[in-house]
Amino acid sequence: MINTKILGTGSYVPKKILTNNDLKAFVDTNDEWIYTRTGIKERHIVTDEYTLDLAYEASLRAIESANIDKSEIDMIVVATVTSDFAFPSTANLLQAKLEIEGVTAFDINAACSGFVYALQIADKMIKSGGFKKILIVGAEILTRLTDWRDRNTCVLFGDGAGAMVIGKSNKNNIKDIVTGSQGDTEMLLYCKNPDLKDPAVNVVSKQDHIHMKGREVFKFATRIMPKTVNELLTRNNLKIDDLSCIVAHQANMRIIDKSARDLEVDMSKMYSNIDKYGNTSAASIPIAIDEAIKSNFLKEGDLFITVAFGGGLTWGGALIEL
Ligand code: UT7
């Protein structure tokens, strides 16, 4: 039986900061509304960087923290909804930029749950015996899909990337992972790709932006996150008090707060950095875990659950001993 663990983590956000007050230049909003409804104070946004650049910087840091040579990596998985190209994938571009030759590299899209899906793939691939060290990345430039005239959505998102190296362990550190999806038949959260509008004149439609029914997504999130945590606890014969902390997808502080109340967890056990970054989609979980480790919120030996929800609708959770 092969066991797995997190060998190293890293994250990166672009330098430019957009505060809540800055957003007043685009839409009728204010710091008080945004902060009390979401917990967000500011977000980092790209100026001239691409998703690849964010993924690359986070990966370098994860590889350094894993203390391995990059040539030991035999698979790269990038979770993103904002790949720079339809193809090649961001993982392919990253493989070239990192100069890691000949490895399996591909992107996945499970929206904000994407990183937990990538973790599940890496975990199972290593446990299958086929791979040894896998680089997984969540990298997003959601501001590329943002409608800056829509105050319901533009205040929520930010850009960034987080990465991890997953490898073998002599202990069962990555203990369990659950993922799932239910079709978003009511179109609660989506962004359409451009398509060929008129083949006769070869006109392609414009890039769409994010559409969201906020209240409905809020209800889904506050139902699915506690459910996923409870499923992991039950499957592993654990109680909520056995956990050191929970690292939840950073979408809205009120979603984290409501989930904590339902789970009867003290808020001091819920990691949060949403005030600085907003919702960075698939990058939110790996950035949060990296920062939780680097700030000593999460320490070696700690048992924690990371849990996400997102467009799709998708969800995922992992039970991990650091
Ligand atoms: O990966 C994406 C995942 N998405 C999410 O997790 C989003 C989940 N949903 C939410 O986080 C919340 O629903 C929001 C933060 C998006 C909205 O909060 P809410 O408490 O559900 O507010 P609401 O949409 O019901 O809007 C309340 C009021 C409305 O005004 P009226 O109709 O009551 O006059 C909105 O027009 O707040 C208004 N409003 C704003 N006001 C100032 C909406 N956005 C803003 C804004 N600034 N940015």
Side-chain angles (χ1 to χ4, degrees), residues 138-151:
E140 300 280 21
I141 300 185
L142 269 201
T143 57
R144 202 186 264 160
L145 305 179
T146 299
D147 179 355
W148 294 103
R149 293 154 308 169
D150 177 12
R151 69 176 183 173

Side-chain angles (χ1 to χ4, degrees), residues 156-219:
L156 302 176
F157 304 111
D159 305 331
M164 271 182 200
V165 180
I166 306 299
K168 291 185 184 174
S169 170
N170 41 27
K171 219 175 147 194
N172 180 23
N173 292 88
I174 300 179
K175 295 180 187 299
D176 198 8
I177 305 177
V178 293
T179 51
S181 82
Q182 76 183 36
D184 186 4
T185 49
E186 292 167 57
M187 306 295 273
L188 301 186
L189 185 53
Y190 70 94
C191 178
K192 204 171 170 301
N193 271 335
D195 56 15
L196 199 57
K197 259 179 138 173
D198 184 350
V201 287
N202 208 17
V203 172
V204 177
S205 62
K206 276 196 281 180
Q207 175 63 55
D208 194 16
H209 49 74
I210 296 167
H211 302 266
M212 185 180 75
K213 292 183 183 149
R215 283 189 182 188
E216 301 311 312
V217 176
F218 192 98
K219 279 187 219 153

Side-chain angles (χ1 to χ4, degrees), residues 27-30 33-34 37-38 112 142 150-157 189 210 212-219 221 249 251-252 254-255 279 281 309-311:
V27 283
D28 178 15
T29 190
N30 57 76
W33 190 97
I34 301 172
R37 299 278 177 143
T38 70
C112 302
L142 269 201
D150 177 12
R151 69 176 183 173
N152 293 293
T153 53
C154 79
V155 301
L156 302 176
F157 304 111
L189 185 53
I210 296 167
M212 185 180 75
K213 292 183 183 149
R215 283 189 182 188
E216 301 311 312
V217 176
F218 192 98
K219 279 187 219 153
H249 171 45
N252 184 327
R254 286 191 297 135
I255 293 177
N279 180 348
S281 183
F309 71 92

Side-chain angles (χ1 to χ4, degrees), residues 10-13 54 58 79-82 111-115 137-142 158-163 249-250 273 277-290:
S11 60
Y12 175 81
V13 290
L54 311 188
T80 184
V81 299
T82 50
C112 302
S113 313
F115 191 81
V137 185
E140 300 280 21
I141 300 185
L142 269 201
D159 305 331
H249 171 45
Q250 306 288 303
N273 60 9
Y277 305 125
N279 180 348
T280 56
S281 183
S284 125
I285 292 270
I287 293 174
I289 292 178
D290 182 50

Side-chain angles (χ1 to χ4, degrees), residues 3 7 12 21 37 119 125 137 160 167 219 243 245 265 273 287 297 303 318:
N3 291 313
L7 299 180
Y12 175 81
N21 280 327
R37 299 278 177 143
L119 180 63
M125 288 293 198
V137 185
K219 279 187 219 153
L243 301 177
C245 70
V265 178
N273 60 9
I287 293 174
F297 185 91
L303 184 68

Side-chain angles (χ1 to χ4, degrees), residues 5-130:
K5 69 185 288 195
I6 299 172
L7 299 180
T9 63
S11 60
Y12 175 81
V13 290
K15 280 196 185 62
K16 186 177 163 66
I17 292 174
L18 194 68
T19 66
N20 289 348
N21 280 327
D22 293 336
L23 284 161
K24 289 202 277 190
F26 314 123
V27 283
D28 178 15
T29 190
N30 57 76
D31 177 58
E32 205 252 330
W33 190 97
I34 301 172
Y35 186 64
T36 53
R37 299 278 177 143
T38 70
I40 300 167
K41 280 263 166 213
E42 58 191 32
R43 68 287 294 141
H44 290 245
I45 63 164
V46 295
T47 45
D48 54 1
E49 287 169 302
Y50 289 88
T51 301
L52 171 64
D53 302 315
L54 311 188
Y56 177 70
E57 293 297 335
S59 299
L60 287 183
R61 290 162 199 203
I63 292 166
E64 191 187 350
S65 122
N67 201 18
I68 60 160
D69 191 279
K70 62 188 181 183
S71 63
E72 295 172 58
I73 291 166
D74 47 11
M75 178 184 282
I76 300 173
V77 186
V78 177
T80 184
V81 299
T82 50
S83 192
D84 300 319
F85 294 84
F87 66 88
S89 70
T90 301
N92 294 141
L93 300 169
L94 182 60
Q95 170 258 309
K97 192 158 176 163
L98 286 169
E99 297 176 339
I100 305 174
E101 285 307 313
V103 300
T104 305
F106 58 94
D107 287 1
I108 59 151
N109 176 347
C112 302
S113 313
F115 191 81
V116 181
Y117 274 62
L119 180 63
Q120 188 178 46
I121 293 166
D123 178 61
K124 298 294 179 269
M125 288 293 198
I126 293 169
K127 284 177 175 158
S128 76

